[in-house]
């Protein structure tokens, strides 16, 4: 279904029996484009979850100074921590001597992207976006961590406290986990899809609605292509509860519509 360019008078009546097939078709097309890359990303995430444990992260990122901030941001970009794992690891880092800056850098860079969202970004938006996205996550983590450290100052000598336990499968003790291959497959194709599944479906539905119902160049007419449009889209995107992977089809639909 196509609309006259710039015609928004009938937007309230667009959802009808005729538009449902167009929405479903757009969702299916987007899903087919991203599925191979998403499955590969799940597999890589499963491998990383086994060989890069929260304990190893804490071991390498504990400490103070800019170097700790850089490492925290760097490791946070691809790290496939489970939904319960990010906050306990960050709390544990801080309680075991990490600065506020390193903890902040980890919290900023980790949820912005991951191996699964990077490969999905490549499938739908191309290599430039796939490169710039983790770079932006890394930079914002470093800058945010450095600013927090600069404002709070060094607070050496904090007493270690008992970290909040993570009880998900990816955080289970080695003795309670199965063989490594099983752990890789279970995290990559059970735990991670379960964690991001709802948000991913929401992202696909939003992308399908935008692709099927919104006229071409609609957003260009409203937001423009300069800094104003960027600021508006940032303001819209910050509070939205869509996971790093689920946001990719939405962004692709925005690009299609100008």
């Amino acid at each position: 279904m196509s609309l006259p360019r710039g015609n928004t008078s009938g937007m309230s009546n667009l959802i009808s029996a005729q538009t449902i097939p167009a929405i479903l078709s757009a969702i299916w097309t987007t899903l087919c484009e991203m599925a191979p890359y998403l499955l590969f990303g799940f597999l890589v995430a499963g491998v990383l979850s086994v060989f890069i444990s929260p304990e190893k992260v804490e071991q390498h990122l504990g400490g103070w100074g800019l170097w700790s901030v850089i490492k925290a941001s760097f490791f946070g970009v691809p790290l496939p921590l489970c939904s319960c794992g990010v906050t306990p690891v960050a709390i544990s880092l801080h309680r075991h001597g990490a600065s506020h800056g390193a903890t902040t850098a980890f919290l900023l860079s980790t949820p912005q992207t991951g191996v699964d969202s990077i490969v999905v970004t490549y499938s739908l938006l191309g290599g430039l976006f796939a490169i710039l996205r983790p770079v932006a996550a890394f930079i914002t983590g470093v800058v945010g961590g450095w600013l927090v450290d600069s404002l709070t100052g060094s607070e050496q000598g904090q007493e270690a406290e008992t970290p909040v336990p993570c009880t998900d499968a990816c955080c289970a003790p080695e003795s309670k986990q199965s063989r490594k291959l099983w752990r890789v497959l279970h995290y990559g194709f059970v735990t991670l899809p379960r964690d991001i599944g709802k948000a991913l479906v929401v992202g696909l539905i939003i992308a399908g609605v935008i692709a099927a119902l919104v006229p071409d160049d609609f957003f260009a007419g409203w937001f423009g292509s300069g800094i104003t449009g960027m600021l508006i889209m940032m303001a819209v995107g910050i509070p939205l509860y869509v996971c790093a992977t689920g946001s990719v089809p939405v962004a692709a639909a925005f690009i299609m519509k100008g």
Side-chain angles (χ1 to χ4, degrees):
M1 175 179 179
S2 61
L3 297 173
R5 185 167 302 203
N7 180 13
T8 60
S9 61
M11 291 296 289
S12 60
N13 299 320
L14 285 177
I15 304 297
S16 65
Q18 291 76 22
T19 61
I20 296 299
I23 295 174
L24 294 177
S25 177
I27 293 174
W28 179 253
T29 300
T30 303
L31 182 61
C32 289
E33 290 180 3
M34 66 186 293
Y37 298 90
L38 183 61
L39 292 174
F40 176 74
F42 284 158
L43 177 61
V44 175
V47 173
L48 291 179
S49 72
V50 171
F51 294 99
I52 304 181
S53 65
E55 290 79 9
K56 290 183 180 179
V57 173
E58 180 183 326
Q59 176 185 351
H60 288 284
L61 302 188
W64 295 79
L66 181 60
W67 179 237
S68 294
V69 170
I70 293 174
K71 288 196 296 182
S73 185
F74 179 79
F75 279 108
V77 168
L79 202 61
L81 286 174
C82 55
S83 60
C84 76
V86 175
T87 301
V89 170
I91 293 174
S92 180
L93 284 172
H94 180 59
R95 290 176 174 175
H96 285 79
S99 66
H100 290 293
T103 306
T104 301
F106 185 79
L107 287 172
L108 284 174
S109 63
T110 302
Q112 289 191 57
T113 187
V115 288
D116 54 328
S117 62
I118 291 173
V119 294
V120 169
T121 300
Y122 176 79
S123 69
L124 294 182
L125 301 177
L128 181 61
F129 282 89
I131 294 173
L132 291 180
R133 191 177 186 188
V135 169
F138 172 75
I139 292 175
T140 53
V142 172
V143 172
W146 174 78
L147 286 175
V148 169
D149 258 354
S150 299
L151 293 174
T152 60
S154 296
E155 299 178 3
Q156 301 278 6
Q158 294 185 3
E159 294 184 0
E161 302 177 35
T162 303
V164 177
C166 172
T167 58
D168 210 345
C170 61
C171 302
E174 188 76 19
S175 59
K176 295 183 179 181
Q177 294 178 344
S178 305
R179 296 184 301 274
K180 287 186 177 181
L181 177 59
W182 170 252
R183 288 159 50 200
V184 167
L185 296 178
H186 187 270
Y187 181 83
F189 297 103
V190 177
T191 302
L192 186 57
R194 182 185 62 206
D195 288 345
I196 72 172
K198 292 182 180 178
L200 180 59
V201 170
V202 170
L204 285 170
I205 293 174
I206 294 174
V209 171
I210 293 173
L213 304 184
V214 178
D216 293 341
D217 296 331
F218 175 81
F219 292 107
W222 278 89
F223 299 149
S225 58
I227 187 65
T228 302
M230 296 180 190
L231 294 176
I232 293 175
M233 295 305 291
M234 286 178 60
V236 171
I238 287 174
L240 289 182
Y241 185 70
V242 180
C243 66
T245 303
S247 65
V248 180
V250 180
F254 281 147
I255 292 178
M256 288 174 56
K257 300 303 177 179

